Amino acid sequence: MISSRPFNFSAGPATLPEPVLHRVASEMLDWHGSGMSVMEMSHRGKEFCAILEAALADLRELLAVPANFRILFMQGGGLGENAIVPLNLSRGGKVDAIVTGSWSRKSAAEARRYADVHIAAEGNGRNIPKDWQLRDDAAYVHVCTNETIDGVEFHDLPRIANGVPLVIDCSSHMLSRPIVWDHVGLAFGGAQKNIGPAGVTLVFVREDLLGHALDICPTAFNYETVAANNSMYNTPPTFGIYVAGLVFQWVKGLQYAGKRGLAAIEQRNIDKAALLYSALDASGFYENRVEPSCRSRMNVPFFLKDEKLNDSFLAEAKSAGLLQLKGHKSVGGMRASIYNAMPLEGVQALVSFMKDFEARHG
Ligand SMILES: *Cc1c(COP(=O)(O)O)cnc(C)c1O
């Protein structure tokens, strides 16, 4: 399908696959002959239960989630999880945190309200620090595996030698690549980057970590309660789960470079990122400042060396059908978020616009 819409580089809420949007539109007034939109259904009725079960099964298959993990659909976003994780996992004790950028710094600050937080390593916002000072008696180690604002991504998950579980905030690259679960105790992410509309938070939690929530943990945010009720302790974000389920089906069916499903999405993401970074590196007009070994495949911050041209760049990009390229206010410059739903053609269009802009202003 050829899109007539502009390409949208928003960091989140972000672009969704166009076939999914068409499907949602076609089912809006009457889902599968039920006479109801998904928004209007009881979450306990057989229609919505089928939607939820299919979404859970597809997600489990796509990410090869081990059998001893529960998948929860919650609310409260990534920032909510910054509190919900320590409330459930810290036991009021020690938490080690790796700071690689804005999101992991926020997570550590919030966890401090509930636990003894130690920054085991801190990067400069453009790298992944080495030499982690981990504590053997920490309840978990928190890592943000893709820093959405800084554009720093872990391409391999750290191997924690002392058996302390990793908690990964993978909000902005979930489902862009496989997850190696070996050292992971919990993974979380808001949906609005790569999965679906804002309002759904995905949590993958290892079963042996359930059942240790602090007494002050709100019942609706106690993972054990949410898991025991199959994400229906309270009303789940039904419409968001439905759209996420359609995105999972879209990923499963995607074909690219002789691959299918998550492998196809990952290869497409690798190719999109390579195209954009190589254009940046080949130019004296633009630059990306992140160390090449940890550059994000999803979020590409870049700068015009002449920052006086920023406003013209954004205005001309918008006229060329390239939306929401402004960088995060804390970093400045530009940021192209090239999530799963961004086609290769979108990155090609961005790169050719950038070359053209450079030729006219360079
Ligand atoms: C967007 C984002 C968050 C915050 O998500 P909210 O849904 O706004 O709470 C947290 N962590 C990362 C890595 C993010 O990209």
Side-chain angles (χ1 to χ4, degrees), residues 2-261:
I2 302 296
S3 172
S4 55
R5 302 198 310 156
F7 294 112
N8 177 357
F9 297 89
S10 170
T15 189
L16 284 165
E18 203 164 305
V20 168
L21 295 176
H22 283 295
R23 174 89 178 265
V24 171
S26 74
E27 295 179 343
M28 184 62 78
L29 296 188
D30 181 5
W31 184 81
H32 295 204
S34 65
M36 300 175 275
S37 95
V38 175
M39 276 179 273
E40 302 166 302
M41 292 172 180
S42 164
H43 59 295
R44 304 202 185 275
K46 69 175 186 335
E47 293 89 353
F48 184 74
C49 286
I51 289 170
L52 177 73
E53 288 310 323
L56 284 169
D58 287 339
L59 183 57
R60 189 173 284 280
E61 180 188 327
L62 278 165
L63 284 177
V65 181
N68 63 333
F69 276 72
R70 301 295 303 262
I71 304 177
L72 313 177
F73 291 124
M74 298 181 67
Q75 303 188 59
L79 288 174
E81 290 303 321
N82 283 347
I84 298 169
V85 169
L87 280 165
N88 278 274
L89 264 50
S90 74
R91 307 186 195 196
K94 297 180 182 174
V95 168
D96 285 349
I98 308 302
V99 173
T100 46
S102 308
W103 286 115
S104 49
R105 183 168 294 110
K106 265 200 171 135
S107 300
E110 182 76 0
R112 228 172 230 128
R113 306 178 62 194
Y114 307 103
D116 160 12
V117 176
H118 160 67
I119 308 290
E122 183 164 0
N124 61 11
R126 302 170 189 183
N127 68 350
I128 292 177
K130 297 188 175 61
D131 300 327
W132 296 9
Q133 307 298 319
L134 299 171
R135 300 178 294 185
D136 285 336
D137 53 349
Y140 61 89
V141 181
H142 179 105
V143 172
C144 176
T145 47
N146 185 61
E147 290 279 5
T148 322
I149 293 174
D150 305 271
V152 171
E153 181 170 9
F154 282 79
H155 292 293
D156 296 295
L157 285 187
R159 311 191 70 78
I160 306 291
N162 61 7
V164 174
L166 268 180
V167 167
I168 60 173
D169 173 359
C170 52
S171 294
S172 51
H173 71 166
M174 188 186 289
L175 218 59
S176 70
R177 58 193 303 157
I179 294 178
V180 177
W181 294 95
D182 301 354
H183 294 250
V184 175
L186 185 141
F188 72 82
Q192 70 271 24
K193 315 288 167 56
N194 236 353
I195 307 286
V200 187
T201 314
L202 293 87
V203 175
F204 306 80
V205 57
R206 222 172 61 197
E207 273 166 352
D208 62 286
L209 299 175
L210 298 174
H212 304 287
L214 300 180
D215 204 44
I216 56 165
C217 179
T219 309
F221 292 150
N222 185 322
Y223 295 137
E224 187 183 34
T225 308
V226 178
N229 289 279
N230 199 23
S231 298
M232 298 244 215
Y233 170 71
N234 62 336
T235 313
T238 51
F239 193 75
I241 292 170
Y242 153 70
V243 179
L246 295 179
V247 170
F248 302 153
Q249 287 174 25
W250 172 79
V251 174
K252 279 178 71 172
L254 193 93
Q255 299 193 43
Y256 179 82
K259 300 178 179 180
R260 196 181 176 86

Side-chain angles (χ1 to χ4, degrees), residues 195-359:
I195 307 286
V200 187
T201 314
L202 293 87
V203 175
F204 306 80
V205 57
R206 222 172 61 197
E207 273 166 352
D208 62 286
L209 299 175
L210 298 174
H212 304 287
L214 300 180
D215 204 44
I216 56 165
C217 179
T219 309
F221 292 150
N222 185 322
Y223 295 137
E224 187 183 34
T225 308
V226 178
N229 289 279
N230 199 23
S231 298
M232 298 244 215
Y233 170 71
N234 62 336
T235 313
T238 51
F239 193 75
I241 292 170
Y242 153 70
V243 179
L246 295 179
V247 170
F248 302 153
Q249 287 174 25
W250 172 79
V251 174
K252 279 178 71 172
L254 193 93
Q255 299 193 43
Y256 179 82
K259 300 178 179 180
R260 196 181 176 86
L262 193 65
I265 270 284
E266 182 182 32
Q267 188 59 54
R268 198 169 82 151
N269 289 331
I270 290 170
D271 292 354
K272 280 152 48 187
L275 180 62
L276 183 49
Y277 284 113
S278 59
L280 288 165
D281 289 345
S283 148
F285 188 80
Y286 304 101
E287 66 172 330
N288 168 277
R289 299 172 183 164
V290 178
E291 280 185 12
S293 62
C294 57
R295 286 173 166 180
S296 170
R297 290 177 188 164
M298 297 281 100
N299 309 99
V300 183
F302 64 92
F303 299 87
L304 278 66
K305 287 195 179 154
D306 180 0
E307 298 240 274
K308 291 194 295 298
L309 292 171
N310 283 357
D311 289 344
S312 335
F313 182 88
L314 289 167
E316 290 186 30
K318 190 171 175 194
S319 316
L322 307 167
L323 306 182
Q324 307 203 74
L325 282 162
K326 194 177 165 85
H328 190 271
K329 59 184 182 302
S330 66
V331 175
M334 308 297 153
R335 173 174 49 172
S337 294
I338 50 176
Y339 296 121
N340 283 355
M342 175 62 63
L344 186 62
E345 293 73 25
V347 180
Q348 287 165 341
L350 173 61
V351 166
S352 75
F353 167 77
M354 287 167 66
K355 288 188 176 146
D356 180 61
F357 187 88
E358 177 175 351

